[in-house]
Amino acid sequence: MRKLKIAAASAALVALTASSMFSLAHAADATAPATGPNAAMHHMRGEHGPWGLGNIRQLHDQLKLNPQQEQAWQQAVNTSKQNREAMRKNGEQFREMFAQAKDQQVLDLAGMRAAREKVFDQNRQLRSQTEDAWLNVYNGLNNDQKVLVSNAIKARWAKMKAWHDKARQHRGPMHKGAPATQPPAGQAQ
């Protein structure tokens, strides 16, 4: 019985590691365009700012920044671009490691996990740096400008919520909390 439990735990670990590696390999692909309902989730792509701002260039034009604010803005844009590129490279390196692992007869799961955690940590630091740069911009705004930014964020949140609500309705009863559907007549349960 103990051997069965160990085997089951090992199989679960392998499946979890492989699935998280696969997910990271695909999620780390920052080359896809930031369009559609998932664009807000990828806040460091293209001209999209942090916190679901949407088209940040449009917001820039509305803020009418003074020279000091404009300098902070440009610094945040540059930080975003540099960090986005670094995250893209991290993803490429991880995908290469994952591709090489598929050819190995025996997987080094501990090594793969360590590599995954390293990429996650590096990307978390890059996201934090980017958010810090944008917080510096926000903190330099006057109250009217902050209201404009806050309204843009809230509007984006409302749009995302509407999309999630619509998606939830579309998925219907196949997810959490939904009653199980009855099997077709003639099939055993």
Side-chain angles (χ1 to χ4, degrees):
M1 185 66 163
R2 184 166 190 257
K3 287 182 181 180
L4 261 174
K5 287 181 182 179
I6 292 172
S10 297
L13 178 62
V14 169
L16 179 62
T17 301
S19 103
S20 64
M21 296 291 181
F22 183 76
S23 297
L24 179 62
H26 290 288
D29 182 12
T31 59
T35 59
N38 293 326
M41 300 304 290
H42 304 285
H43 65 274
M44 292 182 55
R45 290 186 182 178
E47 294 297 322
H48 296 270
W51 305 289
L53 278 174
N55 187 344
I56 201 155
R57 192 179 314 165
Q58 182 182 20
L59 187 60
H60 174 267
D61 296 342
Q62 295 172 0
L63 287 173
K64 298 180 174 108
L65 302 172
N66 66 35
Q68 184 179 3
Q69 293 169 330
E70 181 65 31
Q71 184 179 4
W73 182 279
Q74 293 306 321
Q75 185 176 0
V77 167
N78 291 336
T79 299
S80 294
K81 287 178 181 178
Q82 291 169 356
N83 289 349
R84 181 177 57 245
E85 181 62 22
M87 290 175 72
R88 188 188 64 75
K89 287 181 181 177
N90 286 346
E92 285 176 2
Q93 290 173 350
F94 187 81
R95 283 187 297 280
E96 288 173 12
M97 186 217 44
F98 187 72
Q100 292 170 356
K102 288 193 278 189
D103 297 333
Q104 296 174 355
Q105 185 174 357
V106 176
L107 295 174
D108 176 13
L109 295 180
M112 292 172 73
R113 178 180 181 213
R116 182 194 67 202
E117 293 299 320
K118 180 180 175 185
V119 169
F120 279 177
D121 289 342
Q122 289 172 344
N123 288 349
R124 187 177 305 117
Q125 289 173 351
L126 292 168
R127 282 190 301 273
S128 181
Q129 289 173 1
T130 299
E131 288 180 350
D132 287 346
W134 285 108
L135 282 172
N136 186 42
V137 170
Y138 184 76
N139 291 336
L141 299 176
N142 64 39
N143 282 340
D144 292 338
Q145 291 168 320
K146 286 181 180 181
V147 167
L148 188 63
V149 171
S150 296
N151 289 340
I153 292 172
K154 290 175 188 177
R156 184 67 177 161
W157 288 348
K159 189 174 182 180
M160 288 174 13
K161 183 181 180 334
W163 182 86
H164 283 284
D165 291 346
K166 183 177 177 183
R168 189 174 294 123
Q169 287 176 347
H170 176 72
R171 285 191 307 258
M174 39 187 225
H175 290 291
K176 291 182 185 176
T181 57
Q182 295 296 323
Q187 287 187 356
Q189 287 187 336

